[in-house]
Amino acid sequence: MRTNRLGRSAVEVTELGFGGGPLGGLFAPLDDGTAAATLSAAWDCGIRYFDTSPHYGIGHSERRTGDFLRGMPRGAFTLSTKVGRLLVAQDSRGGRDESFHVPANHRRVWDFSRDGVLRSVEDSLTRMGVDRIDLLFLHDAEEHFDTALRDGFPALAELRSQGMVGAIGAGMYHTGMLTRLVKETDADVVMLSGRYTLLDHSALDDLLPACTQRGVSVLAASVFNSGLLATPRPTDGASFDYAPASPDVLRRAHGIADICEAHGTTLPQAAMAFPLCHPTVAGIVLGMRSPEEVRHNVASFQADIPERLWADLREAGLLDERAPVGA
């Protein structure tokens, strides 16, 4: 699988990365054995970039990711995690976490201060059992952006200068805030959630031009827009950005699916390929929860996309004229 270097750093990622949200019990419970088998399948398929976060399953995703990767040569993979939420132990009293299907034995505390960032990294290293993190993101800082920019990012830069971290940036969905981060800091990379997909081209307005100008790489996450683009034909009630898709969005998705089918391509295959057509996008990150899902996604990722498909999408008014695609 091809790899790309992130910004001006020495860190490289495979173009398809493993997203660790499902390892934390996102949407449904997941046991340790299935998590390990899923990670093993990803490794066997050539994926070498693994992304996680303390937020995912209040530590479960980091622990499971670390348990697997500790058995692999340290120089053979790229590992990223995130800061912004500290995990504080508590008595779960039999309750479940509000966001993930795990016992509520910790609570999250927002903290983008320097001390909070350093403590979060120390906790993550302990949970994962590794000696360093290749790639570190400010996570979901939309409601805390000024603090994250003023205090959190300099802490990331400090860790990078010490060699504790190889590359730094932020993972968010808000393109305007990420654009400001790119323009005002020396970030290496940003992880963009759901704003450069077949259905949402809004990153072309501000973020992607800024990243191109500043030499900052982009990792595209939520390329299926939380489900709508994950199947060959959208279904009624399908989710778009974690809410039921509107009739207009469903209509557009069906239009894209029609053109994909006419070219012998599926909607998920095109959804994976589209972001990587932009030269600033270094990779996409997919959350996966089973070995079967890994193998299916990798096969879809490796499918050839006819160049005429992109032209037909443009002619149908379904693809932004500014989006670089094919030759």
Side-chain angles (χ1 to χ4, degrees), residues 119-139:
R119 177 181 163 187
S120 181
V121 169
E122 183 178 353
D123 290 347
S124 291
L125 291 171
T126 299
R127 274 190 293 270
M128 293 188 288
V130 296
D131 61 350
R132 72 180 188 276
I133 296 163
D134 300 299
L135 178 53
L136 188 61
F137 294 105
L138 302 169
H139 194 197

Side-chain angles (χ1 to χ4, degrees), residues 118-317:
L118 298 182
R119 177 181 163 187
S120 181
V121 169
E122 183 178 353
D123 290 347
S124 291
L125 291 171
T126 299
R127 274 190 293 270
M128 293 188 288
V130 296
D131 61 350
R132 72 180 188 276
I133 296 163
D134 300 299
L135 178 53
L136 188 61
F137 294 105
L138 302 169
H139 194 197
D140 294 342
E142 281 85 355
E143 301 299 322
H144 311 269
F145 185 70
D146 288 339
T147 301
L149 187 63
R150 182 186 67 242
D151 301 329
F153 188 86
L156 300 190
E158 181 181 339
L159 291 167
R160 182 179 57 185
S161 69
Q162 295 170 351
M164 290 292 295
V165 175
I168 58 175
M172 300 164 61
Y173 66 84
H174 196 292
T175 62
M177 292 179 182
L178 283 175
T179 300
R180 184 178 165 197
L181 179 96
V182 166
K183 289 182 175 180
E184 296 183 13
T185 73
D186 61 346
D188 302 295
V189 58
V190 296
M191 183 177 286
L192 176 65
S193 178
R195 296 296 175 263
Y196 195 57
T197 72
L198 280 176
L199 286 170
D200 189 330
H201 306 146
S202 55
L204 289 168
D205 296 335
D206 48 13
L207 180 61
L208 289 173
C211 288
T212 299
Q213 182 179 26
R214 299 275 293 173
V216 174
S217 295
V218 174
L219 295 170
S222 300
V223 298
F224 297 145
N225 284 121
S226 80
L228 187 60
L229 299 174
T231 57
R233 177 64 61 175
T235 58
D236 291 339
S239 175
F240 175 75
D241 286 357
Y242 304 99
S246 68
D248 178 63
V249 170
L250 272 174
R251 178 189 59 77
R252 289 175 56 218
H254 278 288
I256 297 170
D258 289 340
I259 293 173
C260 287
E261 289 176 4
H263 288 278
T265 301
T266 69
L267 191 56
Q269 289 170 353
M272 290 187 209
F274 169 71
L276 285 163
C277 293
H278 198 290
T280 300
V281 176
I284 64 170
V285 180
L286 297 185
M288 294 177 267
R289 64 181 309 108
S290 71
E292 295 76 20
E293 186 175 12
V294 168
R295 288 188 282 268
H296 175 76
N297 283 337
V298 170
S300 293
F301 177 77
Q302 293 174 336
D304 291 328
I305 307 298
E307 290 186 8
R308 183 64 202 176
L309 181 147
W310 307 122
D312 287 353
L313 288 175
R314 276 208 173 114
E315 290 176 8

